[in-house]
Amino acid sequence: MALKILRLANSVIYSRGDRIDTVHKAVLRIGMDNIRQVVLNISVVERFNCPAFKEHIATTQFWEHSIATGVMAAEISRALGAQDVDSAFTSGLLHDVGRVILAEVLGEEYIHVIETAQQLGAPLELVESRMLLLNHADIMDRFLGAWKFPRLILDPVLHHHTSVSAARSASPSRSMEIIRLGLADRFAHAMLLGSSGNDVIYPTTEHCRALHIGPALVRQLEETARQHTEDTTLSLLSGSSAVSWTHRSEQLRQSLTGPFRPIFVGMEPDTDAFRIFCEAISKSGTQEPPNLCVVHIASAKERGPLVDKLLAAEREKGAASLPTIILSFDKKITLDGAAMQERAWRLLVTPTPISRFIEAVNEMINVTPSKTAA
């Protein structure tokens, strides 16, 4: 425990200067008020470090996702000038632990829930609620309440899957903390930092607008999140049986049947999780021409402007009528006009399961330009 506290005190979450080498200095840096919280964080990771998900998810990848969410929640909190950076990290670390508890208590019944979500292509939290009448966030709300965690941590964990408007209605006094954790969770999914068992990519633009987060902070997270996550993961999991893991992005690239070199088109691509996800699985550093377009429609009024942006992006790259994956908030809302008549395309509804996106990519990169139905 002392060694892990030292490592955490020197990690990006708490580091404020020179490295420290004693527990006393670590306590001074972290603060007495937060030491109990840190010890609980470490204890939770050690307690719920079991292969409860069986073949559906590796324990280390689960913790990588949880820690990545905590790291980004802390970074966003710090960038916004908030005073609860430590609590933001704890909320991120613990936000999905309810899934491990459900898996341990329910066993095969919860595995069936995961498999049903995968078969339906639906977010796992929705399938949990329908099949179990409560979800993993409800479970953690009860556990954290019993462990006397403050509402500053409980409310974000309970509502981290809600929309911006729902967050404001559910807890007006904690809505910013809820939205911040929700955004960190969505970015962790998009950057493929581990896996929580819920491999779905969610839109992020609305959350960024609510928090007034611009492209600069998003790029900073993209540049630093992986290294900071790995450093913190190794600190928290040191001494466990497995501290190395295969990156999720590498696993997904291996499932592609050919190179994925996309042109991404969206109204606000700099803060768009789908752009981040496409870059995470695409072949980086290549000078070869693009072979596919990905267009994200967040509202009906964007359809016309997105057609123009799509055609302009293709002209810039010297391409035309590339096969296209359309990501839309509504299965009835797609691109129209002459731009789609001579190209193969497929429509996916957001939030989008990663498995269905990979399936669509494999289909689109192996077709010749022609009109096809969604």
Side-chain angles (χ1 to χ4, degrees):
M1 183 69 72
L3 287 172
K4 290 188 177 185
I5 289 174
L6 273 172
R7 290 191 181 99
L8 283 176
N10 284 310
S11 73
V12 66
I13 305 302
Y14 297 103
S15 181
R16 302 291 187 274
D18 296 335
R19 292 187 65 81
I20 57 176
D21 55 6
T22 69
V23 172
H24 177 68
K25 292 178 182 178
V27 171
L28 291 177
R29 172 171 289 180
I30 295 172
M32 283 301 299
D33 291 341
N34 293 318
I35 279 294
R36 176 176 176 272
Q37 187 169 294
V38 170
V39 172
L40 277 169
N41 290 348
I42 295 171
S43 300
V44 167
V45 172
E46 292 179 339
R47 165 64 183 83
F48 297 110
N49 192 20
C50 64
F53 291 114
K54 296 185 178 179
E55 70 274 13
H56 293 285
I57 183 172
T59 298
T60 313
Q61 287 217 348
F62 174 85
W63 285 118
E64 182 186 8
H65 169 78
S66 300
I67 291 168
T69 301
V71 165
M72 283 191 276
E75 288 294 316
I76 293 169
S77 176
R78 186 177 290 118
L80 296 178
Q83 301 300 312
D84 60 337
V85 174
D86 300 335
S87 295
F89 174 75
T90 296
S91 296
L93 178 68
L94 303 180
H95 76 288
D96 278 338
V97 172
R99 288 200 174 116
V100 187
I101 296 172
L102 286 171
E104 286 197 343
V105 173
L106 300 180
E108 290 297 325
E109 183 179 352
Y110 189 67
I111 299 302
H112 179 56
V113 173
I114 296 176
E115 291 174 344
T116 300
Q118 293 172 344
Q119 292 166 4
L120 295 176
L124 183 52
E125 69 274 7
L126 297 182
V127 179
E128 289 170 347
S129 296
R130 292 184 182 182
M131 295 182 67
L132 304 176
L133 304 184
L134 80 174
N135 63 38
H136 65 287
D138 299 319
I139 291 291
M140 279 313 292
D141 184 58
R142 298 181 187 185
F143 268 76
L144 295 178
W147 293 339
K148 307 302 181 184
F149 276 76
R151 295 309 307 182
L152 178 64
I153 293 175
L154 267 68
D155 285 351
V157 170
L158 177 61
H159 300 293
H160 70 273
H161 280 296
T162 62
S163 65
V164 169
S165 59
R168 289 169 174 161
S169 298
S171 180
S173 63
R174 298 294 182 200
S175 61
M176 288 297 99
E177 290 86 352
I178 295 171
I179 296 168
R180 181 182 63 201
L181 176 58
L183 179 61
D185 182 38
R186 293 175 183 218
F187 277 150
H189 281 292
M191 294 180 196
L192 298 174
L193 295 173
S195 173
S196 68
N198 181 39
D199 283 341
V200 174
I201 307 300
Y202 299 79
T204 50
T205 302
E206 183 186 36
H207 285 63
C208 287
R209 288 175 183 168
L211 295 171
H212 304 291
I213 288 175
L217 178 55
V218 176
R219 284 295 183 186
Q220 177 184 328
L221 292 173
E222 290 183 78
E223 292 170 1
T224 63
R226 179 170 297 282
Q227 188 60 55
H228 290 170
T229 296
E230 290 186 0
D231 291 345
T232 309
T233 300
L234 291 171
S235 296
L236 283 169
L237 294 183
S238 61
S240 69
S241 59
V243 293
S244 62
W245 60 97
T246 301
H247 290 151
R248 189 81 177 104
S249 56
E250 295 175 6
Q251 293 176 332
L252 291 177
R253 288 193 199 104
Q254 293 173 4
S255 66
L256 295 174
T257 58
F260 176 49
R261 301 188 299 272
I263 293 175
F264 182 85
V265 178
M267 295 306 294
E268 299 182 54
D270 290 334
T271 58
D272 195 318
F274 293 103
R275 188 269 307 164
I276 294 171
F277 170 67
C278 286
E279 291 185 2
I281 63 170
S282 64
K283 185 178 180 181
S284 60
T286 180
Q287 299 299 315
E288 297 180 67
N291 61 348
L292 190 145
C293 292
V294 178
V295 181
H296 179 206
I297 307 173
S299 68
K301 65 182 181 181
E302 294 180 356
R303 288 187 295 176
L306 284 173
V307 169
D308 295 336
K309 288 173 70 71
L310 170 61
L311 296 176
E314 285 184 322
R315 285 195 299 269
E316 182 182 348
K317 296 294 184 179
S321 298
L322 290 175
T324 301
I325 296 174
I326 301 172
L327 302 166
S328 177
F329 70 101
D330 188 320
K331 64 181 180 181
K332 297 180 181 179
I333 304 297
T334 184
L335 298 179
D336 50 19
M340 305 307 297
Q341 292 178 3
E342 300 300 327
R343 70 175 71 222
W345 59 277
R346 181 168 174 182
L347 177 68
L348 300 176
V349 178
T350 60
T352 306
I354 290 176
S355 60
R356 293 199 173 178
F357 187 89
I358 295 296
E359 176 187 305
V361 170
N362 286 336
E363 177 186 339
M364 291 292 101
I365 62 179
N366 291 303
V367 300
T368 55
S370 63
K371 183 179 178 181
T372 186

